[in-house]
Amino acid sequence: MAGMMRSCIQSILKLVNSIIGMVGLAMILYAVWMIRYWQRETGELPFGGDSDYPAPWFIYTFLGLGVAFCVITCSGHVAAETANGCCLYLYMLFILILLMLEAAVTVDVFLNRDWEKDFPEDPMGNLDRFKNFIRSNFEMCKWIGLSLVIVQGLSLLLAMILKAIGPHQYYDSDDEYAPERAPLLNNAAYPPPYVVVDPAYGQKR
C-alpha cells in the first residue's frame, strides 16, 4: 500500500514539476526573442562588455529565471524518481526561495507606487512592452500567475509528503532471502561424511 502511494505521489510530482519546466522553457524562448530583437536594433549581441548601450537587465532577468526554472525542474524530477531525502530537501529549498522571491516582487509592485524606479533603465523598452501586455491581458496574466504559484505550492507539498513516506524499501525482511541461504546453512550444519580409506591402499610394495 505504501509503495503504491509512493509511486502515485512520484508520478504527480513529476507531472506538476513538468509545468514549471514548461514555464522555464517559455521564458528562455522569450529571452531568445528579445536577444534577436536587441541584435537587430543595435547590430550586436547584448552580452558584449564593450557595448555603448546600458546593460539589458530585463533580458538577463528573463533568461536567468528561465534557466533557474529548468534547473529546478531537473532537480525535482531527480528527487521524485529517487525519493532521496537530500534531493527532496534541496528541491524544497529551491521552491521555497522561488516563492519568497515572487512574493517579494508582488508585494513591492502592489504596495509601492513608484516600483518602476526600483529597476534600472531598460534601453530597448522591453519592460514597457511587457507591462503593457500584462495590462491589456490582465485577467489572463492574473490566472497564469496564480496557477504558477499554486503549482509551486503543490510541488512543495508533494515533496514534503514524499519525504515523510521515505524512499523505496528494496526488501521487507530477511525472510525473503532465507530459501536462498538455506542450502549454505544446511551444508554448514551438516558437514560432509568422512570417507574411510584402507591404510594399506596407495602404499608401495
Side-chain angles (χ1 to χ4, degrees), residues 52-129:
D52 296 332
Y53 298 91
W57 63 269
F58 193 74
I59 299 177
Y60 296 161
T61 302
F62 254 82
L63 187 60
L65 285 176
V67 172
F69 272 57
C70 291
V71 170
I72 290 173
T73 301
C74 292
S75 65
H77 272 70
V78 172
E81 181 66 27
T82 61
N84 181 271
C86 182
C87 294
L88 286 170
Y89 277 131
L90 186 62
Y91 176 67
M92 288 188 286
L93 178 63
F94 285 158
I95 294 292
L96 191 60
I97 292 174
L98 190 60
L99 286 172
M100 292 175 63
L101 181 63
E102 292 170 353
V105 173
T106 303
V107 169
D108 183 54
V109 169
F110 278 96
L111 297 183
N112 186 10
R113 295 182 179 180
D114 299 328
W115 62 270
E116 296 182 18
K117 297 181 179 179
D118 296 337
F119 299 98
E121 181 183 356
D122 183 22
M124 301 303 297
N126 291 317
L127 177 61
D128 294 332
R129 282 194 295 270

